[in-house]
Amino acid sequence: MPDRAFIGPFDELDVESDRKLPLAMTRDIVSGEVSWRGLGVVNPFADEGGLVDLRDYPRLQRYLLARKVDILNRHVAQKTPANWYRTIDRIYPSPGCQAEAPHPRYQGRSADCL
């Protein structure tokens, strides 16, 4: 699944620290409690909106280029080739979201940031 190019073990996502966020998915929620499994999501969006300039984030650029073939197979990349590294959904970090806490919704499979 090409969207998996943006998801992985948080500590192993080799991108700048402000370009990754903790991610909680449905399987992280047991009986209404979040038990974070340590996944993270790569966030290519600037806080002000729009995509970050990859030239400003060399580790993010290297990470995405290593997965470019998979990412280019996604409909969103084919629809707007100039924004090939855009995620399907815009990622909005929660104000209180810390590296130890899960990240908000990602493609309808995640939970809220605590």
Side-chain angles (χ1 to χ4, degrees):
M1 178 160 80
D3 295 328
R4 290 305 239 177
F6 293 93
I7 299 172
F10 185 84
D11 293 336
E12 296 175 21
L13 293 172
D14 188 18
V15 299
E16 289 78 7
S17 61
D18 64 332
R19 296 296 96 215
K20 63 181 178 179
L21 297 163
L23 176 70
M25 299 177 76
T26 305
R27 288 173 276 161
D28 294 304
I29 302 171
V30 181
S31 301
E33 297 292 320
V34 177
S35 178
W36 185 48
R37 294 177 299 138
L39 292 178
V41 61
V42 172
N43 183 6
F45 291 96
D47 293 342
E48 309 80 40
L51 293 169
V52 297
D53 186 334
L54 292 179
R55 293 173 294 189
D56 295 333
Y57 294 93
R59 288 172 53 201
L60 174 64
Q61 182 178 39
R62 188 171 46 250
Y63 178 91
L64 292 172
L65 287 174
R67 294 153 181 81
K68 188 171 182 176
V69 172
D70 288 335
I71 294 171
L72 287 175
N73 285 323
R74 301 162 60 248
H75 174 74
V76 68
Q78 294 170 5
K79 189 170 97 175
T80 314
N83 296 338
W84 66 270
Y85 56 99
R86 184 192 190 291
T87 56
I88 293 171
D89 293 325
R90 166 82 161 86
I91 298 173
Y92 296 95
S94 293
C97 194
Q98 302 294 325
E100 300 80 34
H103 178 266
R105 181 181 162 278
Y106 183 78
Q107 263 196 273
R109 294 180 299 225
S110 65
D112 289 333
C113 180
L114 300 177

